[in-house]
Amino acid sequence: MTHAAKVVAVTGASSGIGEATARRLAVDGHSLFLGARRTDRLEALTKEITATGGSAAYRRLDVTDAADVRAFVSATRERYGRVDVVVNNAGVMPLSPLEALKTDEWDRMIDVNVRGVLHGIAAALPTMRAQGGGHFVNIASVGAYEVSPTAAVYCATKFAVRAISEGLRQESTGDIRVTLVSPGVTESELADTISDPVARETMRTYRAVALPASAIADAIAYAISQPPQVDVNEIIVRPAASAQ
């Protein structure tokens, strides 16, 4: 157990980085409140964590619904008495060329990747202010720093997450810590949302060398384990064997 166990709410916890983060933070002794749409997976993960002595609970969550995110944060506070960390992890990545005009997919990325993060901040910030501190960990991507073909809208959403995170950091008076974690190619289900055949094939090649989700979980664990006076602002994690 860590010397300073925290209450951590994780969105998008049913797979990939969110799932790996829940497992890692449970081992570190933190109390987890997990959210995602697939409650069967959340239930299985919660049982796994509690069976090994960890502390975890879950609630169905749609991050595009501001009221649902507020209820998720409230449920975290009701169960554990406080909310120390929010990991805004939920995201989608249906890549396609702009000329494909997949406007519904553009809207979905904006709703989940940008509004979802804003909803998480809006829901938890008043609680964190009232309790005297807190920590937001926002999951972006190397796409927050560079743009590639078929990824214009996805990268735009991650640039936005980076800007939002930096703005929140600058507005903090020291009581709210903000960490932006930007993974390179990582094993996850993100590519499963790609409907464009060309983009899907390109991504299959791009993802030939990928990090395990646990590598990103380790970065998150590092950031939240720092003493209160230390704010780890940005972490970029890439596969050592990849230029991307």
Side-chain angles (χ1 to χ4, degrees):
M1 179 177 289
T2 62
H3 66 282
K6 297 180 172 69
V7 174
V8 185
V10 183
T11 74
S14 61
S15 66
I17 291 170
E19 180 182 1
T21 297
R23 287 198 176 97
R24 169 59 201 270
L25 297 185
V27 169
D28 286 353
H30 301 296
S31 296
L32 286 303
F33 202 84
L34 310 176
R37 291 179 300 162
R38 295 177 290 186
T39 54
D40 57 332
R41 292 194 177 192
L42 292 180
E43 181 180 11
L45 179 58
T46 298
K47 287 181 177 178
E48 175 189 325
I49 290 170
T50 56
T52 56
S55 177
Y58 71 92
R59 184 184 188 279
R60 188 187 186 280
L61 174 64
D62 178 358
V63 299
T64 69
D65 183 335
D68 200 28
V69 180
R70 288 194 298 271
F72 173 71
V73 171
S74 293
T76 307
R77 187 178 65 249
E78 288 169 7
R79 182 172 182 89
Y80 293 115
R82 58 188 295 112
V83 182
D84 297 309
V85 184
V86 172
V87 180
N88 285 310
N89 166 71
V92 294
M93 191 184 68
L95 306 183
S96 64
L98 289 171
E99 66 179 3
L101 302 179
K102 292 181 177 287
T103 56
D104 288 346
E105 293 183 356
W106 301 350
D107 290 342
R108 180 66 178 164
M109 280 188 279
I110 292 167
D111 286 344
V112 176
N113 298 358
V114 182
R115 289 193 176 94
V117 170
L118 289 170
H119 291 162
I121 293 170
L125 188 55
T127 293
M128 291 181 179
R129 293 287 193 204
Q131 69 191 19
H135 192 169
F136 289 98
V137 178
N138 299 330
I139 307 304
S141 164
V142 291
Y145 302 86
E146 59 191 27
V147 182
S148 56
T150 76
V153 178
Y154 175 74
C155 291
T157 66
K158 294 305 184 178
F159 268 78
V161 172
R162 182 182 171 201
I164 291 163
S165 301
E166 176 61 10
L168 181 60
R169 184 194 69 79
Q170 292 185 19
E171 292 173 11
S172 173
T173 56
D175 54 338
I176 305 298
R177 299 194 293 177
V178 184
T179 301
L180 182 76
V181 177
S182 296
V185 183
T186 303
E187 295 171 357
S188 74
E189 297 178 359
L190 273 179
D192 296 347
T193 63
I194 301 175
S195 64
D196 183 85
V198 175
R200 189 167 56 245
E201 183 57 36
T202 299
M203 185 53 56
R204 184 175 292 110
T205 302
Y206 182 83
R207 296 171 71 86
V209 178
L211 291 166
S214 60
I216 311 305
D218 289 343
I220 294 169
Y222 167 78
I224 71 173
S225 72
Q226 299 307 299
Q229 70 273 22
V230 177
D231 191 3
V232 179
N233 300 142
E234 296 189 32
I235 303 177
I236 301 174
V237 186
R238 292 185 173 96
S242 172
Q244 304 297 334

